[in-house]
Amino acid sequence: MHPYLIETFWSDEDQAWLCTAPDLPGCSAAGDTPLSALREMQDAMDSWLEACTNMGRECPLPLARPQKAA
């Protein structure tokens, strides 16, 4: 598990559950269920962070936090 916030939501346009990580620009995944999207997201985050490291860049700090319900 990564320390980054993962947002999971249904996309009518894609007809799939999507996950994004606000601290990792462009890192996203999709699945038929929220759990399958989350599993795919873990792989996407692994790849994103590996690519960051391979390019000699520092991995971003996990700064995003869940929003409180109004």
Side-chain angles (χ1 to χ4, degrees), residues 2-65:
H2 297 286
Y4 299 97
L5 175 71
I6 297 173
E7 298 174 335
T8 304
F9 55 93
W10 174 256
S11 170
D12 284 331
E13 181 179 339
D14 298 305
Q15 289 295 296
W17 288 93
L18 302 181
C19 289
T20 62
D23 292 320
L24 307 177
C27 186
S28 64
D32 293 333
T33 66
L35 185 56
S36 67
L38 186 58
R39 286 180 180 145
E40 292 295 325
M41 187 60 174
Q42 293 298 320
D43 290 340
M45 292 171 78
D46 288 342
S47 296
W48 197 102
L49 294 166
E50 182 180 345
C52 186
T53 300
N54 289 343
M55 290 186 290
R57 297 182 181 172
E58 286 189 36
C59 294
L61 294 174
L63 301 175
R65 298 286 177 248

